[in-house]
Amino acid sequence: MVRHLWYILLGTVLILSVCDGANILCIFPVPSYSHQQPLLAVSRELAARGHNLIVINTNPSKSPLKNHRDIDLGFLYKELEELKKKGLSLQSRISPYKIVHDYKLFMEYITPKAMEAPQMQELIKEVNGTKFDLIIYESIMLSSFLGFSELVGNPPIVGMLTINPFVISDPLVGNPEIPSYIPSVLLPNEHRMTFMERVNNFLINAYYHYVKICYMDPLQEIFIKKYFGNVKRTAYELERSISLMIITSDLASSYPKPVHPNTVYVGPTHVEKNVPPLPQDIEKWMNESEEGIIYFSLGSNMKGTSVPAEKRNAFIRAFSMFPRVRVLWKWESDEKLPGQPDNVLVKKWLPQQAILAHPKTRIFIRQVGLQSFQEATHYGVPILGVPLFADQDFNARKLIKTGAGRVVDFQNIAFENVFENLKELLTNSSYKENMLTLSKITNDKPMPAVETAVWWIEYVLRHNGAPHLRPACMDLAWYQYYSIDIVASIAAIAVSFLSICFYCVKMVVKKLMPSKLKEE
């Protein structure tokens, strides 16, 4: 018995020692606060476990963290403002097809700005010729950044997605694309679609592939050669060499679909274990509310100050109709909110998770980005969604399907529909009950999401890239994957057989016809 315990202890120590103190390079260059938080939660947890990380990101730690060195690309937030002049703005409603079309504009602008920054050029020189054990990469079509792999010894790559996968994300790890029942993350569809929804789903997927093949992939090849020289593998090949894809979603915010073992849905890694206390003035305001709190924040990309005056006034008027309910409004301006009712408190910044965790919070008004959706789900707060772009319509449809909230179209915001939706959410308890059902789904896991993500990352380290997780379909040509070569072979054999039969019949008929004519 003692000997068995000794073997177990020794085996555990050996397993831990394999990935103890690994050198990890994290590539998180997208300037989006909501994207950064789930990614950085994982990198910081890895640092806390003794791994050594260099983390390219746009939201560095306010104070230095042990084993976690930030390469600060925070200036990219200002560069997003410049993109407005080129027609790419996140302050208005954007169609799915325009999102796909404009993503290449985002790539061709942001990539050079990031790569040519002095801190990035210094990092390239510093790590060239060194050896890292792993790369963690936000797998969002910026594959030229994987040129770092060639500089640091071609270690295994773990991809991370902080949204439900795009149609072009699944093939990177061999997962099937089936537009008949797997809805595009850019459309307001669920997994049971009507005929016209399936048509639109098919078309957006086809358009996304067209843009990727014709514009995105060639652009990434240009960038990888420009910033990393004559690398041995192309950006396309590097991105398809991902050992594991970690997706910070789960069935509370998505739908069932087939995935290979190299794809793991872990859930929201950014939800805080210990929510910090509320500032005293906000806590007092919330506690003194007679009938609860409405929390109004349109997120990190869309600003409350960008909402047109007539739409803003619709919310103000609707809020004033519920004087016993108090409203916390994220208002990014030093100027007073015009027409601010007595039951509304505005702040430039609000601690979102602490507010959602407060027992008096009854409604969350939001764009329905995945991270906010997950936070509301975790704390069981119904949502009034105002989707604008990207995956927000997809998330809003999930919200409606599950009965955990309601949705207002941004273009049609008016007092009447805002008032009626708020009244329904405040008086119908089913929305709260349905959101609590989703909360049970997202929280019913063996481990917290961030610990699950870290376990799988260390699994890849322990197994030297875990090649046994890679499906064979990754090495097939497209015509082999869809068995077109087999169908073509069978068709060729069938046509050949029928041709021979036809020829034989023709020859028999030809032989018989002259003798018949002679007899006549």
Side-chain angles (χ1 to χ4, degrees), residues 46-285:
L46 286 165
R49 295 191 182 205
H51 300 289
N52 304 303
L53 291 93
I54 294 178
V55 185
I56 300 167
N57 70 92
T58 61
N59 292 80
S61 305
K62 293 180 180 178
S63 56
L65 294 175
K66 185 180 179 182
N67 304 328
H68 194 282
R69 176 185 163 195
D70 292 309
I71 305 298
D72 184 4
L73 298 183
F75 72 91
L76 291 177
Y77 284 107
K78 293 182 180 178
E79 297 297 339
L80 284 180
E81 297 297 318
E82 292 297 315
L83 275 174
K84 289 182 184 179
K85 300 174 183 177
K86 299 178 181 290
L88 181 60
S89 173
L90 301 180
Q91 306 301 308
S92 60
R93 196 78 162 100
I94 307 175
S95 76
Y97 288 90
K98 182 170 173 57
I99 283 284
V100 176
H101 177 270
D102 287 352
Y103 195 73
K104 65 180 187 294
L105 177 66
F106 171 81
M107 289 195 308
E108 66 187 10
Y109 186 80
I110 289 295
T111 303
K113 293 291 183 182
M115 294 302 302
E116 292 170 13
Q119 58 270 40
M120 286 290 281
Q121 289 298 305
E122 290 173 10
L123 180 65
I124 289 172
K125 292 176 184 176
E126 177 189 334
V127 301
N128 192 5
T130 61
K131 181 171 174 56
F132 278 69
D133 301 298
L134 187 73
I135 289 176
I136 303 176
Y137 155 72
E138 184 181 9
S139 185
I140 195 164
M141 300 301 116
L142 292 170
S143 53
S144 57
F145 283 83
L146 291 177
F148 273 104
S149 177
E150 299 279 317
L151 306 183
V152 298
N154 288 304
I157 300 171
V158 170
M160 282 192 70
L161 273 174
T162 60
I163 55 173
N164 284 296
F166 289 105
V167 64
I168 52 179
S169 302
D170 275 328
L172 298 178
V173 282
N175 292 329
E177 310 166 61
I178 311 174
S180 58
Y181 77 95
I182 299 178
S184 168
V185 74
L186 295 177
L187 295 176
N189 295 338
E190 55 162 298
H191 58 167
R192 292 182 175 88
M193 293 175 272
T194 65
F195 174 77
M196 290 310 300
E197 286 174 339
R198 285 189 287 116
V199 168
N200 200 17
N201 204 51
F202 179 86
L203 291 176
I204 193 74
N205 287 1
Y207 182 58
Y208 216 143
H209 278 293
Y210 165 76
V211 172
K212 182 178 187 295
I213 293 167
C214 295
Y215 297 102
M216 294 183 184
D217 286 346
L219 192 60
Q220 294 304 314
E221 301 305 339
I222 291 170
F223 286 146
I224 198 170
K225 290 177 182 176
K226 180 177 180 180
Y227 298 114
F228 296 98
N230 294 320
V231 292
K232 294 178 181 178
R233 290 188 289 175
T234 64
Y236 175 77
E237 290 170 339
L238 284 166
E239 193 165 42
R240 285 176 62 84
S241 70
I242 290 173
S243 298
L244 179 75
M245 182 73 80
I246 294 174
I247 300 166
T248 61
S249 178
D250 56 28
L251 288 174
S253 51
S254 64
Y255 302 97
K257 59 186 285 189
V259 295
H260 289 294
N262 62 349
T263 304
V264 183
Y265 283 74
V266 299
T269 58
H270 67 292
V271 173
E272 297 174 353
K273 295 178 184 177
N274 301 305
V275 180
L278 285 161
Q280 289 185 356
D281 59 332
I282 295 176
E283 186 173 24
K284 185 174 184 294
W285 171 268

Side-chain angles (χ1 to χ4, degrees), residues 426-446:
L426 288 168
T427 57
N428 189 338
S429 62
S430 68
Y431 297 99
K432 177 71 173 180
E433 292 165 3
N434 292 331
M435 186 57 93
L436 288 173
T437 298
L438 289 183
S439 183
K440 289 178 183 177
I441 293 171
T442 194
N443 289 313
D444 191 3
K445 296 185 178 75

Side-chain angles (χ1 to χ4, degrees), residues 26 28 38-48 53 55 67-68 136:
C26 297
F28 310 147
L39 299 167
L40 293 173
V42 173
S43 65
R44 289 165 183 165
E45 181 65 22
L46 286 165
L53 291 93
V55 185
N67 304 328
H68 194 282
I136 303 176

